Amino acid sequence: MSFEICPLEAAWGNWAEWVAVLVGLIAAAGTIWVAWLARNTSERAAAIAEEARKIAQQQHAEAVDMRKANARIVRRLIVHEISELPVNLHILIKRCDRVLEVGVNSERDNVFLEDTLRSGTLSLLPGTEKSEDRLHNLPEEMGNDLAVLVGYSRTLNAMSSELLQYVKVIKRPSEGFSGLTVYTGDLRLIETYKTYVEKFSRYAIPTAVALRDFTQVEPRDFSQFNVDGSASPA
């Protein structure tokens, strides 16, 4: 008994083997391509991340430089104003002392008190108030101290305005008489006012010293303006 091999079947078998090999090669090539693509994508992602890191570092450095530049500008704008603050507060305290010592028994006394209170309605820190939104560029403690001084100054302005309400001008019908200035409040209010100015001064002196030191200007002796009589640091 004999078997015959059909040439068509043999050829088909060969083709099937070649197709299987080809499919295997394509699958292998696909795997290699996917691996290469993944590696390439990973390398690009790493490069992008590194570039982003460098950009972030540069932006941070620029922000730090900008903050330092703003701090230099602010401190130089206000250092002399802050340095004069203890002097101006000392003058105001002395004017309060005169009012409390002499009283308000005459037209002259009342006018002096009115002038004193009007001076208190004016900001002692106009430059610092204008730079208020940039104080955060300074070291945190110093920025906070300056903000506190701004708060003191505004409260002083408000107190002065309130006390001025007690200063009245009494009109008289006499020809050529402009009126008589009188203070209708209690002198204890002036004592409270003076106490507040002294509190303001106690905070102002060390802040002025610290700011002058930070700005690297020559030291200044504020001891003569110290309300407690003890020497203050230069």
Side-chain angles (χ1 to χ4, degrees):
M1 184 176 180
S2 62
F3 295 92
E4 295 183 359
I5 299 176
C6 178
L8 185 60
E9 291 181 355
W12 175 251
N14 290 336
W15 275 107
E17 291 175 0
W18 280 108
V19 169
V21 171
L22 183 60
V23 170
L25 290 174
I26 293 174
T31 301
I32 293 172
W33 180 78
V34 170
W36 175 85
L37 184 61
R39 178 180 178 182
N40 187 54
T41 302
S42 176
E43 289 177 350
R44 289 186 61 188
I48 292 173
E50 177 63 17
E51 185 67 20
R53 184 185 66 81
K54 290 180 179 179
I55 292 174
Q57 284 183 336
Q58 182 180 358
Q59 290 177 337
H60 176 72
E62 290 174 352
V64 170
D65 290 342
M66 180 65 71
R67 179 168 182 170
K68 289 180 178 178
N70 279 329
R72 284 194 298 271
I73 293 171
V74 170
R75 73 195 188 199
R76 293 198 176 278
L77 278 174
I78 67 177
V79 62
H80 297 296
E81 178 176 90
I82 297 297
S83 297
E84 289 303 309
L85 181 58
V87 181
N88 293 327
L89 292 174
H90 178 75
I91 293 173
L92 188 54
I93 291 170
K94 290 303 179 182
R95 291 180 71 91
C96 289
D97 284 338
R98 176 183 165 179
V99 172
L100 293 171
E101 180 180 350
V102 176
V104 285
N105 301 311
S106 67
E107 169 75 3
R108 181 180 178 181
D109 297 336
N110 284 284
V111 169
F112 181 84
L113 173 57
E114 181 182 20
D115 290 343
T116 298
L117 295 176
R118 288 198 184 282
S119 68
T121 63
L122 304 176
S123 175
L124 295 174
L125 302 172
T128 307
E129 290 190 35
K130 289 181 180 178
S131 302
E132 187 176 4
D133 60 344
R134 292 193 290 174
L135 295 181
H136 66 277
N137 292 299
L138 296 168
E140 183 177 359
E141 184 175 356
M142 181 168 295
N144 290 339
D145 287 342
L146 291 170
V148 170
L149 289 183
V150 170
Y152 269 117
S153 181
R154 288 174 176 168
T155 301
L156 177 63
N157 298 157
M159 292 178 67
S160 302
S161 296
E162 289 177 4
L163 286 175
L164 269 176
Q165 302 301 314
Y166 293 101
V167 178
K168 309 292 184 181
V169 177
I170 300 176
K171 299 290 185 179
R172 290 184 178 178
S174 303
E175 184 177 353
F177 188 79
S178 59
L180 179 66
T181 301
V182 296
Y183 173 67
T184 60
D186 194 315
L187 281 180
R188 285 176 296 182
L189 295 175
I190 306 302
E191 291 179 355
T192 301
Y193 182 77
K194 176 193 170 186
T195 299
Y196 181 81
V197 179
E198 290 175 339
K199 185 178 179 181
F200 189 176
S201 179
R202 289 188 183 97
Y203 206 99
I205 291 177
T207 303
V209 171
L211 183 60
R212 291 181 69 86
D213 180 63
F214 180 66
T215 313
Q216 297 181 338
V217 298
E218 62 182 65
R220 182 174 179 180
D221 183 12
F222 293 99
S223 59
Q224 61 180 311
F225 309 117
N226 193 304
V227 296
D228 298 316
S230 58
S232 67

